[in-house]
Amino acid sequence: MKRSKIKEILSTDSFEYKAKVAGWVRTFRNNQFIALNDGSVLTSLQLVVDFESMDKELIKNITTGAAIIAEGTIVPSQGRGQTHEMKCEKLEVVGTSDPEVYPLQPKRHSMEFLRDIAHLRFRTNTFSAVFRVRSTAAYAIHKFFTEKGFVYLHSPIITGSDAEGAGEMFRVTTLPPQNPPTTEEGAVDYGQDFFGSETNLTVSGQLEAELAALALSDVYTFGPTFRAENSNTTRHLAEFWMIEPEMAFCDLEGDMDLAEEMLKYVIAYVMKNNEEDLIFLENRLLQEEKSKPQHLRSEMNLRDKLAFCVDNDFVRLSYTEAIDILKNCKPNKKKKFQYLIEEWGADLQSEHERFLVEKHFKKPVILIDYPKDIKAFYMRMNDDGKTVRAMDILFPGIGEIVGGSQREERLEILKSRMEEMHIPAEEMSWYLDTRRFGTCEHAGFGLGFGRLVQFITGMGNIRDVIPFPRTPGNAKF
Ligand code: 4AD
Ligand code: MG
């Protein structure tokens, strides 16, 4: 008999048919009821075994964590709490699990503990729900862009360029660490390295996406990116997945419209397709927040918050307007911010972003036209000579979720910006070629996929929405 996934069995109202299931035991009660979970859905299938007729050795091996394959008849459940159950006729324990040493017990474990056993945390309700949602969200992103006629581009992971000019990169080399070859000046001679030049893991696929957009019109990347910044926060990873669309013949307005439409589409898609997971995650969050003081609890429950985001226009305002609000707001005047906003030009910290979104506007916010000095070299200069056509989207509980801009398409202005920011134009001549040959208005953005999944699942830490988080001091598994 072919194995059925538990999701299929629970999704129909048909009964009195034979089925075969396989999965892992969550609990075994009264020597009679097995809760079997196969990860296809949150709900476990109840298997009812006949203790009297069963081999006692076999019964002993039905323990939490054991892998079993069972055959039987699907019937309406007599008990409360479930609709279906399987009257078990054949049962095999294919992988035993010693309950004395199996780290997961049928009780609530702390997120920190589960991070330490990340290889097993997929087997909890919370993490199976998170990773199903993550998968649905990834699919929704591909679906959204495909329906819009975007070309999915695989930008390189190993590169010689530092897209953001931020300089916080992981080096890629095959030179011996002990005594690498050196140049006459005594520096490491990367000319003798694998690629014949210095290389690193990409921090962003944007520059390559721009090259492709100036031929294919609309492209997007969706892949891992790497940043060697020593940021120990709940929103930073050293390895994170980013979605980067890039559009030719598009300005900042078009860029913002696309970003807003995409976020709403993906959130709505998950709400429609992972309802059970979201209900579970919503209750998990409610439980978690019970231990927090009232003012730190969310004002809306998880699904209401998601619906609110889908149903309302995001607020759009300039950096300059935001600074005015922040300068005059209570937490700034009462010196409650860690970084006080004193003047125009200040870089916004997450406390400021969250104030705007959570306290002031109570809606997602798109901030535009940032001072050029706090943004990357490729952003289009405004006529004021002070600000650039940048946009950041700020989300409740998260802060910055999207960063993007209209790109500087004018060769001379771009070159002088690069000079100002000490970016060697010779090494970037491939990038400048797009401005030399058929340049045009274009724009794009980067969405941090982990932050989006954090928002949708309500998980407090980005380390809990990626299977194996890479953070300073940790690359386990
Ligand atoms: O704002 P960022 O640095 O922008 C870029 O990389 C541009 N090249 C994007 C573009 O215009 N194509 O990063 C974009 C987004 C951020 O808004 C944030 O959501 C996420 O990537 N992000 C991180 N997520 C997790 N861990 C980190 N260390 C992150 N750094 C950025
Ligand atoms: Mg940014």
Side-chain angles (χ1 to χ4, degrees), residues 443-460:
F445 63 83
L447 164 67
F449 188 56
R451 292 192 189 173
L452 175 62
V453 179
Q454 238 189 310
F455 178 73
I456 298 177
T457 57
M459 298 298 283

Side-chain angles (χ1 to χ4, degrees), residues 70-91:
E71 287 177 37
T73 309
I74 301 297
V75 296
S77 177
Q78 307 299 311
R80 289 193 306 148
Q82 65 272 322
T83 48
H84 301 58
E85 63 188 28
M86 174 186 270
K87 252 196 335 216
C88 213
E89 284 140 25
K90 225 164 113 185
L91 190 145

Side-chain angles (χ1 to χ4, degrees), residues 180-234:
T182 50
T183 60
E184 276 171 18
E185 293 81 44
V188 175
D189 184 6
Y190 289 106
Q192 296 187 46
D193 203 348
F194 188 90
F195 296 106
S197 62
E198 235 180 307
T199 49
N200 52 272
L201 295 178
T202 186
V203 296
S204 157
Q206 178 196 320
L207 303 193
E208 290 87 356
E210 280 185 61
L211 312 179
L214 266 68
L216 300 166
S217 284
D218 294 327
V219 303
Y220 73 104
T221 73
F222 187 170
T225 50
F226 308 85
R227 302 212 177 159
E229 20 175 21
N230 193 11
S231 302
N232 277 291
T233 79
T234 55

